[in-house]
Amino acid sequence: MSNHIEYVFYVFGWLLITGVVYIYGHWMAKRHWKRTPWRAAPKLTAGFAMVSLLLLGVGEGYIHYMEQHEHREYEENAKQVAAMVAGDLAAMGHERLDEHADRLPAYDEIIAALERWQSRGRVLSMYTMKKNKNGQLYFVVAPPTDYNRNGRIDGEKEQAVPPGTIYRHDVPEIDKAFRGHFAMQPRPTTDEWGRSISAFMPVRRADGTVDAVVGIDYDATIYEHRLQKERQKAIGMMMAVYFITAAIYLLALHQQMERKAFAAYKKRLAANEHRLRRLAEMTMEGIIVYANGRIIEVNEAACRLLGYAESELIHLPIDELIVHGSIKFSQPHEERERLEMDLRRKDGTVFPAEIVRRRYDYEGENVTVAAVRDLTEQKQKEQRIRYIANHDELTGLPNKEAMYKTVERCLAEAKRNGQEAAIIFFEVSGIKTINDFYGYAVGDEVLLYLARVWKEKAGMIIGRWSGNEFLAVVPDSTLEKAEEMAKQLVEEADEPITVNGIELYITVNAGISIYPKDGEEAKTLIRKADIARYEVRKKAVSDFVFFTEPMANRLHENMAMERDLRRALERDEFELYYQPQIRLHDRSVIGMEALIRWRHPEKGMIPPSLFIPLAEQTGMIIPINEWVMRTACRQTKQLLSQFPHLSVSVNLSPYEFESRRFVDKLARLLDEIGLPPHHLDLEITERMTMDTERALDILPKLKALGVTISMDDFGTGYSSLSYLTDLPIDRLKIDRSFVQHIQGKKDVILPAIIRLGHNIGVKVLAEGVETETEAAYLQGKRCDEAQGYYFSPPLPYEELVRFLTEQHARRQAQELT
């Protein structure tokens, strides 16, 4: 098959139509039937594929046939022309011409004849050739040729070819012509004369033998144009046939899918209808169909819901089921309507229901379909949720949100009527202790008892504000009435509460604010009552106080101190003072106690008694104690080069003692600073050892680090002497209150404590020694060590260094004398 662009277009067009048909068929199948064309019509699709391949092959064959047919027609025309030219040449005596033909008179006549034939449009050139004695082809007559069709002979190749010029091309058709047959090239060729297609005809002598061959070169452009037209006609015809075939396939596919889709639709419709009927019977919602005010159809759920039999509901007026005046529209009237109403059952009971109804055209009749749902359980749940949202789960009292709204309503009413009102904010102390000792269930019973008692109080509304905090509002209250209410609350709390045969005691601390004296907004009055409650909680017994402005000022001062305390570490406002510890028998310095001081930039030096409790309340005690521990260890390490026997005592807070990570943190700190552990003494209090199991767990771990442990303020706490021998302590520190009364009743206690310490194998240190009499007395009672203002007050680090240096120099002087 010839290599022409038309064949490429034909194959591309076939592929394009095939692709378009496939995509459209696939889209149509997915749209109508949700499946592929192969699933929709497998035979039809397979037939189309086979016909498409067949048309592709037939089309190529048909195109080739039309091309060959046109070639044969062209060849036949060329043969007729060549025969006439050959006949004229024979008649004009062409056989007399040879390599020197231009010398004979017939040459010019024959050239003129060939030029006349060349003037016809399709012919590029004409020439005659013979063979010489060597069998070589040579030109005999080859007139000039106007190749570029400009009307004149110009250029070297357009000149006449001299007779005898050897033809050096091997053209099989020329040999065929010399054998006496017409021959034409099967396809155009390109040579130095241009692009052409040549035909060759033998020129015979009078006896019929071949004398020469006449060659005719035709314009290949005209030849190829004629073949191209035939190919395009054939391609157009085949594409039209294929397009019609594709259209027929798509039409047939569409019809097939429509039939199958319709059949599937009918099947689904029947299944849906069956399923809807089953759902209507099995659904928990009642379905009622009515028209013109009367019921025409119901499902089983509607019968159960309303307590009627189906036969009783059919034709029953719909209004007989509705409680008059109970309809509440949840949505505006639309095509689909939703509303709530009360319905009446057959036995007369009424229940809330939700109705969703819509109008339909059913078999030519306008009907309404209503779905009915019983809202009884939902309404109960909503009521329960509203109750939970406004009441405390344990006590049943109004919760914080409800009490805040109650206070606002009470104040608004008092404002309208020109009355006073009281807010009582109180807390129950002792619940945490009860929970710790007896469990949360017992603590809850105490709160329930109090809630029952307080709920019965006439003239006030009480609610639970938080865990152990309550709030009461007394409408239309005078100062005396508010005081009376607070007294009742406090007095009832002072009575023992018996739970599971156990008598339990609590205290109640109450703060009171008065409207409008203390404020006019609920938030302000509650806050001021809370401030007053905070003031009275410092007492150990139940009591109440009214709010005064100095209370707020004190609270603001505490808040300001708390704010400054949080910034003190960042601003490096803390300092360490050290009070020397003296060995009594030789009065030498053996250690020192690290004591923190706060140098406030505005308030000056603040003693620990003012800020340590606040630090413990806010949790700042942990980072503060970490700073104390690090600073004391670092400065002690600096002193060891001069005073190698010196140790430092640091007070350990309960928060650090209870921390599981404290031992690891302390080990890392000692390693980081490089302080030998035996130069660090940790002071604990008796209160920290009340949880004996916890103390027996943590103290051995601390001892394993190599540090020493002292029990501070011994004799003022609640230590169990039975566990004292089990605790790995190294020293008892006697509280200064025993030292100050060495001539009083406590004189018998101090020697007992010293003997107790020695008997259990620990040293004893007395605190608060202020006179030589006290120092001598302690030394006489064999007390090991002492500290106090008699020896030295707490000193800053620089003054401590001077004190130690002076003491060291004095001892050296004494030794020399």
Side-chain angles (χ1 to χ4, degrees):
M1 182 176 290
S2 300
N3 185 18
H4 294 285
I5 194 66
E6 284 83 358
Y7 290 103
V8 178
F9 281 148
Y10 171 67
V11 175
F12 177 76
W14 180 87
L15 293 174
L16 180 63
I17 293 175
T18 303
V20 170
V21 168
Y22 173 77
I23 294 171
Y24 181 76
H26 191 80
W27 171 81
M28 188 167 52
K30 287 290 185 182
R31 180 182 178 187
H32 287 78
W33 204 51
K34 308 299 181 186
R35 296 186 181 182
T36 60
W38 176 256
R39 298 291 300 275
K43 293 182 180 180
L44 184 63
T45 304
F48 173 71
M50 294 176 64
V51 170
S52 298
L53 292 174
L54 179 63
L55 288 177
L56 176 65
V58 171
E60 290 184 349
Y62 179 69
I63 295 168
H64 182 68
Y65 167 77
M66 293 300 292
E67 185 182 54
Q68 293 300 319
H69 176 72
E70 180 62 25
H71 177 79
R72 287 192 296 271
E73 286 190 357
Y74 198 94
E75 185 178 7
E76 187 64 29
N77 292 335
K79 183 178 181 181
Q80 293 176 4
V81 172
M84 289 187 288
V85 172
D88 288 349
L89 291 175
M92 294 173 69
H94 184 273
E95 64 185 42
R96 297 191 299 273
L97 301 180
D98 55 12
E99 290 98 330
H100 307 289
D102 54 347
R103 301 175 184 176
L104 301 176
Y107 177 75
D108 293 333
E109 183 180 356
I110 291 174
I111 281 184
L114 292 181
E115 286 179 348
R116 286 195 299 275
W117 282 102
Q118 282 182 179
S119 62
R120 301 186 179 185
R122 294 188 302 167
V123 178
L124 285 177
S125 63
M126 285 189 180
Y127 47 88
T128 60
M129 291 183 292
K130 289 186 177 182
K131 289 184 178 181
N132 58 20
K133 295 178 180 179
N134 297 324
Q136 294 176 314
L137 290 175
Y138 65 89
F139 287 97
V140 180
V141 180
T145 302
D146 186 10
Y147 281 111
N148 54 20
R149 307 288 185 178
N150 61 0
R152 60 181 181 273
I153 304 301
D154 53 1
E156 182 179 352
K157 73 173 185 176
E158 293 187 350
Q159 304 300 322
V161 180
T165 302
I166 301 299
Y167 183 77
R168 302 189 181 280
H169 296 281
D170 184 15
V171 181
E173 287 77 13
I174 296 176
D175 293 337
K176 185 176 179 181
F178 270 107
R179 291 195 298 271
H181 304 286
F182 173 78
M184 186 173 181
Q185 290 180 318
R187 60 185 60 85
T189 59
T190 302
D191 55 17
E192 67 270 19
W193 306 108
R195 184 167 177 77
S196 61
I197 184 169
S198 303
F200 301 95
M201 191 73 177
V203 180
R204 298 180 183 275
R205 299 185 183 93
D207 58 1
T209 60
V210 176
D211 172 58
V213 171
V214 59
I216 305 174
D217 292 343
Y218 290 94
D219 191 347
T221 303
I222 298 174
Y223 169 78
E224 289 176 337
H225 179 68
R226 290 182 58 176
L227 262 64
Q228 185 181 32
K229 284 181 64 177
E230 288 301 315
R231 284 195 302 270
Q232 290 175 351
K233 284 170 59 178
I235 290 172
M237 184 179 297
M238 292 306 301
M239 293 301 292
V241 170
Y242 185 52
F243 185 80
I244 292 171
T245 303
I248 293 173
Y249 163 71
L250 289 177
L251 181 60
L253 180 64
H254 183 269
Q255 291 178 344
Q256 181 75 1
M257 285 189 296
E258 286 289 342
R259 286 196 299 270
K260 289 197 172 186
F262 183 69
Y265 172 76
K266 287 177 64 179
K267 186 176 180 181
R268 287 197 305 270
L269 186 62
N272 289 340
E273 199 171 318
H274 177 67
R275 183 166 60 253
L276 287 175
R277 287 185 179 275
R278 290 181 59 194
L279 287 174
E281 292 302 325
M282 298 185 66
T283 182
M284 299 299 293
E285 294 183 348
I287 305 296
I288 300 176
V289 183
Y290 62 94
N292 300 321
R294 290 186 176 274
I295 299 173
I296 60 176
E297 189 174 349
V298 293
N299 69 345
E300 185 178 346
C303 296
R304 291 195 304 268
L305 191 62
L306 297 169
Y308 288 90
E310 183 178 356
S311 58
E312 294 174 326
L313 282 174
I314 301 300
H315 304 304
L316 184 72
I318 192 69
D319 291 340
E320 291 191 14
L321 302 175
I322 302 173
V323 176
H324 181 69
S326 66
I327 299 178
K328 299 176 183 178
F329 290 93
S330 300
Q331 293 180 349
H333 284 281
E334 297 175 352
E335 186 178 349
R336 182 176 180 269
E337 191 176 35
R338 180 175 181 171
L339 50 115
E340 291 185 9
M341 65 180 68
D342 292 336
L343 298 182
R344 184 180 288 106
R345 294 188 175 94
K346 182 180 179 180
D347 59 6
T349 58
V350 176
F351 67 95
E354 180 186 51
I355 309 295
V356 179
R357 63 187 184 184
R358 187 170 182 175
R359 298 184 182 277
Y360 292 94
D361 185 12
Y362 180 66
E363 296 181 354
E365 184 179 9
N366 191 10
V367 302
T368 300
V369 178
V372 184
R373 184 163 66 94
D374 187 356
L375 295 180
T376 303
E377 185 177 352
Q378 178 180 325
K379 293 295 184 182
Q380 292 173 349
K381 288 181 179 178
E382 290 175 357
Q383 186 177 0
R384 175 62 180 166
I385 290 172
R386 285 195 296 271
Y387 178 84
I388 293 174
N390 293 284
H391 291 79
D392 176 56
E393 184 178 1
L394 174 64
T395 63
L397 296 174
N399 61 13
K400 183 176 183 178
E401 290 76 14
M403 282 305 299
Y404 191 84
K405 294 176 183 177
T406 301
V407 172
E408 287 184 327
R409 288 195 301 268
C410 177
L411 296 180
E413 184 177 352
K415 186 176 183 180
R416 285 195 303 269
N417 300 330
Q419 299 171 337
E420 291 184 329
I423 306 298
I424 306 176
F425 197 111
F426 56 98
E427 68 172 342
V428 180
S429 299
I431 294 295
K432 183 179 186 304
T433 304
I434 294 173
N435 289 337
D436 292 341
F437 279 91
Y438 302 106
Y440 285 93
V442 176
D444 289 346
E445 286 295 327
V446 173
L447 292 177
L448 282 171
Y449 170 80
L450 293 173
R452 285 194 299 270
V453 173
W454 290 335
K455 197 183 300 182
E456 297 172 356
K457 291 293 179 185
M460 73 173 174
I461 305 169
I462 190 167
R464 190 178 184 186
W465 193 254
S466 64
N468 65 332
E469 296 177 341
F470 294 82
L471 187 75
V473 56
V474 186
D476 189 16
S477 173
T478 62
L479 194 67
E480 293 75 14
K481 185 178 179 180
E483 184 176 358
E484 181 61 28
M485 289 293 181
K487 278 184 179 179
Q488 293 180 20
L489 291 172
V490 169
E491 290 173 356
E492 288 169 354
D494 284 340
E495 295 296 326
I497 300 172
T498 303
V499 177
N500 298 334
I502 306 171
E503 284 192 352
L504 303 171
Y505 292 87
I506 57 160
T507 58
V508 170
N509 303 315
I512 308 171
S513 61
I514 303 297
Y515 167 88
K517 180 178 72 70
D518 296 324
E520 297 185 358
E521 295 183 354
K523 184 184 297 185
T524 302
L525 290 168
I526 294 172
R527 180 174 60 83
K528 290 187 175 181
D530 188 22
I531 292 173
R533 186 267 313 177
Y534 183 81
E535 187 74 17
V536 79
R537 75 186 303 187
K538 301 174 184 177
K539 299 183 180 180
V541 296
S542 299
D543 202 358
F544 65 90
V545 294
F546 286 89
F547 171 80
T548 60
E549 287 300 330
M551 296 178 183
N553 295 336
R554 284 192 295 271
L555 182 63
H556 292 155
E557 289 176 1
N558 287 338
M559 293 174 64
M561 180 174 287
E562 178 184 346
R563 185 172 57 253
D564 292 343
L565 185 62
R566 293 186 180 277
R567 300 173 182 171
L569 273 177
E570 301 174 6
R571 298 175 178 176
D572 198 22
E573 296 175 1
F574 290 117
E575 298 179 11
L576 274 191
Y577 278 48
Y578 296 93
Q579 187 171 39
Q581 295 173 335
I582 309 299
R583 189 164 52 204
L584 286 174
H585 80 272
D586 61 0
R587 304 296 174 97
S588 63
V589 180
I590 47 87
M592 55 191 178
E593 181 179 3
L595 302 170
I596 189 170
R597 298 292 186 267
W598 181 11
R599 191 177 297 278
H600 195 280
E602 298 173 358
K603 301 177 182 179
M605 190 68 75
I606 300 177
S609 59
L610 293 182
F611 70 85
I612 290 298
L614 183 61
E616 291 179 343
Q617 293 175 11
T618 59
M620 284 293 296
I621 191 66
I622 294 179
I624 290 175
N625 275 5
E626 288 179 356
W627 178 87
V628 170
M629 188 75 69
R630 178 176 292 276
T631 305
C633 291
R634 177 173 51 80
Q635 292 181 343
T636 303
K637 177 66 167 60
Q638 295 172 359
L639 293 172
L640 290 182
S641 59
Q642 293 179 270
F643 313 102
H645 302 294
L646 199 64
S647 65
V648 64
S649 297
V650 179
N651 290 284
L652 194 62
S653 75
Y655 301 95
E656 289 176 311
F657 188 73
E658 295 172 2
S659 173
R660 297 179 179 178
R661 297 182 297 172
F662 174 68
V663 176
D664 295 333
K665 289 166 62 176
L666 180 60
R668 287 195 298 269
L669 176 63
L670 292 172
D671 183 64
E672 177 186 341
I673 294 177
L675 178 69
H678 64 275
H679 289 280
L680 175 63
D681 179 66
L682 299 179
E683 295 189 6
I684 62 174
T685 63
E686 291 183 84
R687 185 170 65 89
M688 293 163 62
T689 62
M690 288 180 64
D691 186 352
T692 311
E693 292 185 4
R694 175 65 180 161
L696 289 174
D697 177 58
I698 188 67
L699 290 178
K701 295 179 181 178
L702 291 172
K703 288 291 294 179
L705 295 178
V707 301
T708 61
I709 299 174
S710 298
M711 181 173 287
D712 195 14
D713 299 334
F714 184 77
T716 62
Y718 305 95
S719 291
S720 174
L721 297 180
S722 63
Y723 284 103
L724 190 59
T725 56
D726 296 330
L727 297 175
I729 60 176
D730 301 280
R731 182 167 61 178
L732 294 179
K733 296 188 70 174
I734 304 174
D735 187 76
R736 65 187 303 269
S737 61
F738 295 100
V739 177
Q740 291 175 335
H741 299 89
I742 58 176
Q743 302 300 327
K745 294 181 180 180
K746 295 185 180 180
D747 185 24
V748 296
I749 300 178
L750 184 59
I753 295 176
I754 296 173
R755 286 194 299 271
L756 173 66
H758 291 165
N759 288 337
I760 64 175
V762 300
K763 293 181 179 181
V764 180
L765 182 146
E767 296 180 299
V769 178
E770 297 182 356
T771 64
E772 173 59 30
T773 302
E774 294 173 350
Y777 175 84
L778 291 169
Q779 185 174 353
K781 297 298 182 181
R782 296 179 59 199
C783 183
D784 301 293
E785 300 162 357
Q787 69 181 75
Y789 275 74
Y790 173 69
F791 302 107
S792 172
L795 302 172
Y797 179 73
E798 292 78 9
E799 295 184 19
L800 173 70
V801 174
R802 287 197 295 271
F803 176 83
L804 294 175
T805 304
E806 292 173 359
Q807 291 292 321
H808 182 67
R810 187 179 298 115
R811 283 189 59 79
Q812 285 183 335
Q814 291 175 353
E815 290 176 358
L816 290 174
T817 59

